[in-house]
């Protein structure tokens, strides 16, 4: 059989580089085209492939259509991994949205410009950040759950818009794979104040960089079935990689020989909410299609990370923990704008409210002696604190029905569950890919495919968080989630359990009184 051509963006990043390596192992099957920025670092990284007939190196910019078109032309597969990512994206919110949405549009437009557009397989890499804060008791999640972007997370805004561009492209073969946190050997080098935005009792199902690279290569194989395409999937390395954020810190510090996180960090340095993370109830579905997991325990994985860490990093264990805590970590928390403790020093009420609820609630955290570390339920069907099971959220229609049987009545029910209505009068049964007309609870009318609504969890684009009249400093008006939850039962499922006085949070009291409130 003739070799296939794969166009890969973002090949210089962690996931993209491992994807490139996996594809290169199969160069008897694939020719590889990569588009990277022409930095000296990137040119050095790919210098060994300059004269390889199986690799074509393009140097350019994802924001430039001509550069993207050069890579797409002649490709059988397009793997769009590139773009601005966190934490760099957090420092340039306007640039992040501009780059990531422009890149998505350029990729889709370039595919549509091909004479064989409906034969090209297009893979988009989304993010777990699109569904935001999913702390217990709603820590079990799946695609189709509501999009709920955390306050200040402009990266997630950009990825949600980009996903919509792909899903609504009208192309025959596309797929959105939402990436989780990636484990890789150099993760130990990531020292940024944003690390303290992560709730210590939160959860995440991690994906190893090796699994992620293998996934990118496997999706290009002939054995991927037809029904895989035009869907949304969560990327995760499976049950063994579902850990709490405290457990992650234990693994990470253990790899350095530093011992307990309690010796290095303050309990009240970590935000208590407003960060993304979940355990996937459906990540096995992607594994069933693409067979990318290496089946290695997370303990073994961190042992390998420890073995790869340069010896000078491990010298840190010779430094008294108190010195590391005072000289390095505490200083990081006081970094202006992004350091959690800097918010209290500058009385940044917006960020205090978003990440802690109030100054008073932050003060209640205290020390590790009083901080209640806890394990959320690992059983998907268990109840928590007397509540009904929250892990399987309703998507507002009968999911036991075959997709081919879904009708306009199902769309009307789904719209009502979102506080709105379906304005279209009819649809072909089972046709999830022809846009219908909808109206949200706030009166905005829009067109969207049933697939994006039911399977992607998207809803009214006008209600998506974003800049308010160009004011990037005011986070509240676009993120008025409390008001949305009052009119949208679908969204209320992921808001009320974490922001109601009767929820079972670690203090047994109301966390949040609304985005516009602030409590001294």
């Amino acid at each position: 059989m003739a070799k296939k051509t794969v166009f890969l963006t973002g090949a210089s990043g962690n996931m993209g580089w491992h994807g490139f390596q996996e594809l290169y192992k199969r160069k008897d099957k694939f020719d590889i085209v990569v588009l990277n920025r022409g930095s000296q670092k990137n040119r050095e990284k790919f210098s060994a492939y300059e004269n390889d007939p199986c690799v074509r190196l393009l140097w350019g910019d994802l924001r430039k259509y001509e550069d993207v078109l050069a890579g797409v032309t002649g490709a059988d597969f397009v793997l769009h991994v590139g773009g601005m990512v966190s934490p760099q994206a957090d420092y340039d919110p306007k640039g992040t949205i501009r780059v990531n949405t422009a890149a998505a549009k350029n990729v889709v437009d370039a595919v549509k410009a091909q004479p064989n557009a409906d034969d090209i397989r297009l893979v988009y890499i989304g993010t777990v950040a699109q569904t935001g804060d999913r702390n217990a008791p709603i820590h079990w999640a799946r695609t189709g759950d509501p999009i709920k972007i955390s306050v200040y997370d402009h990266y997630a805004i950009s990825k949600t818009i980009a996903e919509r561009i792909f899903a609504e492209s009208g192309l025959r073969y596309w797929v959105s794979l939402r990436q989780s946190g990636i484990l890789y050997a150099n993760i130990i080098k990531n020292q940024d104040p944003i690390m303290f935005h992560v709730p210590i009792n939160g959860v995440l199902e991690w994906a190893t960089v090796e699994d992620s690279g293998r996934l990118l290569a496997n999706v290009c194989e002939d054995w991927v079935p037809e029904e895989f395409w035009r869907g949304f999937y969560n990327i995760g390395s499976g049950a063994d990689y579902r850990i709490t954020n405290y457990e992650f810190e234990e693994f990470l510090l253990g790899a350095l020989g530093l011992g307990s996180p309690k010796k290095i960090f303050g309990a009240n340095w970590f935000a208590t909410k407003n960060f993304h993370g979940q355990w996937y109830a459906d990540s096995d579905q992607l594994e069933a299609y693409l067979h990318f997991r290496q089946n290695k325990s997370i303990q073994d994985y961190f042992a390998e990370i420890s073995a790869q860490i340069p010896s000078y990093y491990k010298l840190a264990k010779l430094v008294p923990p108190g010195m590391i805590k005072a000289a390095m970590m505490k200083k990081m928390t006081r970094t202006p704008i992004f350091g959690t403790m800097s918010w209290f020093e500058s009385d940044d009420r917006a960020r205090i409210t978003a990440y802690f609820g109030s100054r008073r609630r932050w003060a209640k955290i205290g020390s590790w002696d009083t901080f209640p570390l806890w394990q959320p339920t690992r059983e998907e069907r268990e109840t928590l604190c007397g509540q009904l099971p929250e892990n399987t959220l309703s998507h507002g229609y009968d999911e036991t029905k075959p997709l081919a049987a879904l009708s306009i009545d199902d769309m009307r029910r789904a719209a009502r569950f979102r506080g709105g209505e379906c304005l279209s009068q009819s649809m072909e049964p089972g046709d999830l890919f022809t846009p219908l007309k909808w109206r949200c609870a706030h009166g905005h009318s829009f067109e969207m495919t049933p697939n994006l609504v039911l399977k992607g969890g998207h809803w009214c684009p006008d209600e998506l968080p974003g800049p308010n009249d160009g004011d990037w400093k005011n986070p509240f008006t676009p993120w008025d989630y409390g008001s949305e939850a009052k009119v949208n039962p679908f969204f209320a499922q992921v808001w009320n359990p974490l922001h109601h006085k009767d929820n079972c949070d670690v203090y047994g009291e109301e966390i949040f009184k609304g985005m516009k409130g602030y409590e001294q």
Side-chain angles (χ1 to χ4, degrees), residues 68 103-113 122 162 165-166 169 171:
V68 175
K105 186 176 187 305
N106 286 339
V107 169
V108 167
D109 287 348
V111 171
K112 286 185 170 182
L122 180 54
I165 291 170
F166 281 85
S169 65
L171 292 168

Side-chain angles (χ1 to χ4, degrees), residues 275-295:
F275 198 82
H276 52 269
Q278 53 198 244
W279 290 342
Y280 295 134
D282 62 356
S283 62
D284 289 350
Q285 293 178 8
L286 186 60
E287 166 64 9
Y289 278 120
L290 299 184
H291 316 298
F292 61 93
R293 292 176 182 165
Q294 60 188 346
N295 298 319

Side-chain angles (χ1 to χ4, degrees), residues 196-394:
F196 296 106
H197 295 191
V198 180
I200 205 69
N201 275 331
V203 303
L204 191 66
E205 179 176 332
W206 291 83
T208 70
V209 74
E210 293 82 6
D211 283 356
S212 301
R214 203 161 24 247
L215 176 153
L216 288 175
N218 287 1
V219 77
C220 301
E221 294 285 0
D222 291 335
W223 43 258
V224 177
E226 184 82 11
E227 70 266 16
F228 167 77
W229 299 98
R230 294 198 291 185
F232 306 86
Y233 302 91
N234 285 318
I235 304 174
S237 285
D240 207 45
Y241 289 80
R242 294 171 190 152
I243 57 176
T244 68
N245 295 328
Y246 184 81
E247 288 171 331
F248 170 74
E249 296 295 347
E250 285 186 308
F251 279 123
L252 200 61
L253 295 179
L256 288 170
L258 291 177
S260 171
K262 296 179 181 181
K263 296 179 180 179
I264 306 297
F265 307 123
N268 65 354
W269 294 355
F270 292 91
T272 56
K273 58 195 181 70
N274 194 51
F275 198 82
H276 52 269
Q278 53 198 244
W279 290 342
Y280 295 134
D282 62 356
S283 62
D284 289 350
Q285 293 178 8
L286 186 60
E287 166 64 9
Y289 278 120
L290 299 184
H291 316 298
F292 61 93
R293 292 176 182 165
Q294 60 188 346
N295 298 319
K296 184 179 298 181
S297 75
I298 196 168
Q299 291 82 4
D300 289 344
Y301 193 86
F302 271 96
E304 291 182 1
I305 287 180
S306 181
Q308 296 177 53
I309 292 173
S311 57
Y312 58 83
Y313 272 92
K314 294 186 179 180
L315 293 176
K317 67 182 179 182
L318 303 177
V319 180
M323 186 177 296
I324 297 176
K325 181 176 182 178
M328 295 174 59
M329 298 302 172
K330 190 172 184 178
K331 182 179 179 181
M332 197 184 305
T333 68
R334 290 176 171 169
T335 303
I337 301 178
F338 292 102
T340 52
M341 296 302 97
S342 75
W343 304 334
F344 297 94
E345 294 173 353
S346 64
D347 196 29
D348 188 339
R349 300 186 176 192
R351 283 183 167 82
I352 291 171
T353 302
Y355 289 95
F356 291 96
S358 72
R359 183 182 289 269
R360 181 178 67 84
R361 288 192 172 84
W362 169 75
K364 281 191 173 186
I365 295 173
S367 68
W368 290 114
D369 292 335
T370 58
F371 187 85
L373 285 172
W374 61 306
Q375 278 280 344
T377 175
R378 291 182 179 272
E379 296 296 328
E380 296 180 43
R381 298 291 179 181
E382 283 186 4
T383 60
L384 184 66
C385 300
Q387 297 188 43
L388 293 174
E390 297 274 2
N391 61 297
T392 303
L393 304 183
S394 172

Side-chain angles (χ1 to χ4, degrees), residues 370-437:
T370 58
F371 187 85
L373 285 172
W374 61 306
Q375 278 280 344
T377 175
R378 291 182 179 272
E379 296 296 328
E380 296 180 43
R381 298 291 179 181
E382 283 186 4
T383 60
L384 184 66
C385 300
Q387 297 188 43
L388 293 174
E390 297 274 2
N391 61 297
T392 303
L393 304 183
S394 172
H395 291 174
Y397 68 101
D398 184 358
E399 295 185 66
T400 66
K401 291 178 66 172
L403 294 180
L406 293 179
S407 67
I408 193 66
D409 288 334
D410 296 291
M411 302 305 114
R412 289 168 180 155
R413 281 192 290 271
R416 286 196 297 270
F417 191 57
R418 288 153 178 77
E421 57 184 316
C422 180
L423 300 178
S424 294
Q425 297 301 308
S426 63
M427 65 174 278
E428 288 294 322
D431 179 8
L432 301 185
F433 303 102
T434 298
L436 299 179
K437 294 181 179 180

